[in-house]
Amino acid sequence: MTTERLTTELDDILRAGDIIRRGGLVAFPTETVYGLGANALDAEAVRSIYAAKGRPSDNPMIVHIAEKEDLEPLIRGGLASLSQDAQKAMDAFWPGPLTIIFSKSEEVPDATTGGLDTVAVRMPSNRAAYMLIAASLRPIAAPSANISGRPSPTTADDVLEDMDGRIDAIIMGEQCDVGIESTVLDLTGEVPTILRPGIITREELSEALGREVVYYNGLLEKPAETADPEDGVAETSFKPKSPGMKYRHYSPKARVILIEGNTEEFREKAKAIGIEAIHNGGKPAVLDYRGDERRAAHDLFADLREFDRQGYDLILIRTLEEEGLGFSVMNRMLKSAGYDVE
Ligand code: TXA
Ligand code: MG
C-alpha cells in the first residue's frame, strides 16, 4: 500500500475524513503525539490499527472527539449522566491533553475498548486533529502512531519511519507541542485516579476537581514481569487497571540507562560508563535536560529516535525530579530504560 502524504489544508483534511469514513487508517498530528486514527465505531477498521501497529488486541484505544456533544452516544447514560468531577475536568482541560475514562455505551465496539466496559475519550486541541474528526463525522479511535513498543512519534517523519506503506494516509503537520501522551484520568471509581501521567499534572487536576486526585500505584515502578509487545504475550502476575501499563514501551534500539545526581555526579558517572562502553566497541550518547521538564517532555521521544538513526547503541540520560511534569517524563524515561537507574 502507498501511504498518501496529505497537508493540513482543508481539501486534504476532507480527503482524510473520507478515508476514515470508508474504514481506512490515517495518521494525524495532535498536541501530544501523532495518532493513528480509524472510525472508532467500526470494529473492522479498529482491528486494522492493531495490525498496522503490531499491537496486542486487548490494549484499548482512546476515542477522539471534536465537540462535547460527541460524547453523548459513547458513554453509558449519555451527557445527562456526567459526574461533577467529569464536568469540572472537561471544563478545565478540554480541548487539550486530558483523556477521561467513562462507562461505555453499547455503541462502542469491544474492538475499540479491548473488551472493557469503559471507554477512554479525549478532545484534542490541535487544529488539524479537530478538523479531521469534524470532517470524518465519526469519533476517531487512535493510539500513538508508532510500531508497538517504539517511542511515540512526535513528527510526521517519525510516523513515516514506522508506518510508511502500512497505512492509507498521513496528515503531515508540525512537530507536536507537548511531546508525551495525554494524561489518562479514571473517573469510574470512588477516587479520581491518574492511570497515565502527562503534561496535565496531578496537582492541576486536584485543583480543578476541588479534591484529591491520586496516581495509580506503581507508575514509576517496574512491573513484576514485563511482556514483549512484539509477541503480544501479557505477563501474568501484574493486573493493571490500564492495560497499556503491562507492555514494554518507548524502547529505542539502543540500550538506555538513567543516571541520577547533580550535574557533576551525572557527568562523572556518564563518563565512566561511556568510556567502558567505548572500550567494548560501543557508541554511547549522553542526554541531560538539566531539569527542564517541559523541554524533556517535548524532546525525549524525538531524541531517542534521532540517536537510533545516528547509530548510537547506548543512551545515558540524566533523571528528573519525580514531581509535577517531571513525574510524567520519568514514567516514560524509566520504561525506555527498562527501569535501569545508576
Ligand atoms: O496523547 C495521547 O493520548 C495519544 C494521542 C494520539 O491522542 N494517544 C495515545 O494512545 O497515547 P495509546 O493507545 O498509545 O495509549 C492509550 C492509553 C493506554 O495506556 C491504554 O491502556 C489506556 O490509554 N486506555 C485506553 N482505554 C482505556 C480504558 N478503557 N481503561 C483504562 N485505560 C485505558
Ligand atoms: Mg502508545
Side-chain angles (χ1 to χ4, degrees):
M1 154 190 320
T2 308
T3 299
E4 233 181 295
R5 271 76 164 160
L6 300 172
T7 70
T8 55
E9 297 298 312
L10 185 58
D11 281 359
D12 276 8
I13 301 264
L14 291 173
R15 160 132 193 87
D18 281 341
I19 296 172
I20 296 279
R21 270 200 305 283
R22 289 202 312 265
L25 298 184
V26 178
F28 62 98
T30 81
E31 65 277 21
T32 56
V33 301
Y34 273 72
L36 177 53
N39 177 359
L41 304 180
D42 177 345
E44 201 179 320
V46 168
R47 276 193 286 270
S48 66
I49 298 180
Y50 292 121
K53 276 182 66 83
R55 176 177 189 158
S57 61
D58 71 338
N59 206 345
M61 310 216 176
I62 295 172
V63 178
H64 297 70
I65 60 174
E67 314 286 347
K68 193 174 167 187
E69 290 66 44
D70 299 345
L71 252 189
E72 174 74 30
L74 303 176
I75 62 177
R76 201 176 65 201
L79 288 175
S81 74
L82 284 178
S83 66
Q84 291 251 338
D85 284 341
Q87 292 280 9
K88 288 178 186 165
M90 288 161 55
D91 287 348
F93 301 110
W94 278 10
L98 176 69
T99 295
I100 304 176
I101 311 287
F102 301 94
S103 294
K104 86 171 190 72
S105 75
E106 298 292 313
E107 293 213 21
V108 184
D110 281 346
T112 302
T113 63
L116 298 174
D117 56 10
T118 53
V119 60
V121 185
R122 146 165 146 76
M123 187 192 294
S125 59
N126 177 281
R127 181 176 160 278
Y130 168 81
M131 285 173 58
L132 173 65
I133 303 161
S136 67
L137 301 167
R138 301 287 181 278
I140 296 185
S144 49
N146 51 286
I147 296 282
S148 191
R150 301 257 304 138
S152 296
T154 54
T155 68
D157 285 338
D158 290 351
V159 175
L160 287 169
E161 186 173 72
D162 285 13
M163 292 294 164
D164 199 7
R166 302 168 73 99
I167 59 177
D168 296 288
I170 172 174
I171 297 173
M172 309 271 296
E174 308 267 283
Q175 178 161 6
C176 302
D177 282 342
V178 175
I180 59 172
E181 306 83 350
S182 61
T183 305
V184 177
L185 176 65
D186 184 3
L187 293 179
T188 64
E190 303 246 298
V191 182
T193 304
I194 293 174
L195 302 181
R196 182 176 68 184
I199 194 159
I200 295 175
T201 61
R202 188 174 81 89
E203 293 74 13
E204 288 172 306
L205 284 166
S206 298
E207 168 90 31
L209 269 50
R211 66 174 178 136
E212 204 192 10
V213 173
V214 302
Y215 286 125
Y216 189 77
N217 280 335
L219 290 179
L220 299 182
E221 283 156 33
K222 184 177 182 161
E225 204 186 296
T226 309
D228 189 305
E230 304 313 336
D231 58 34
V233 180
E235 55 72 38
T236 46
S237 58
F238 180 63
K239 288 265 182 297
K241 176 85 185 176
S242 180
M245 290 172 182
K246 70 188 171 190
Y247 301 105
R248 189 163 56 87
H249 264 89
Y250 314 124
S251 312
K253 292 180 205 116
R255 177 171 175 210
V256 178
I257 300 176
L258 304 188
I259 298 180
E260 292 176 327
N262 62 30
T263 303
E264 204 170 309
E265 290 159 350
F266 170 74
R267 281 195 194 145
E268 293 279 307
K269 287 195 230 174
K271 198 167 144 191
I273 298 170
I275 287 173
E276 162 102 25
I278 291 167
H279 277 309
N280 293 320
K283 188 177 174 191
V286 173
L287 195 49
D288 181 1
Y289 295 112
R290 297 165 177 270
D292 185 341
E293 296 154 357
R294 187 84 212 201
R295 189 167 75 83
H298 186 264
D299 291 349
L300 178 67
F301 292 147
D303 285 342
L304 293 178
R305 282 177 178 265
E306 183 56 28
F307 284 133
D308 267 355
R309 283 193 279 267
Q310 294 183 16
Y312 289 94
D313 58 11
L314 176 65
I315 307 172
L316 306 172
I317 310 180
R318 184 169 169 195
T319 56
L320 299 170
E321 298 279 344
E322 293 167 0
E323 256 171 57
L325 179 55
F327 183 98
S328 309
V329 180
M330 280 299 291
N331 168 268
R332 307 322 195 268
M333 282 187 181
L334 282 159
K335 287 182 188 190
S336 69
Y339 301 86
D340 193 351
V341 186
E342 297 282 329

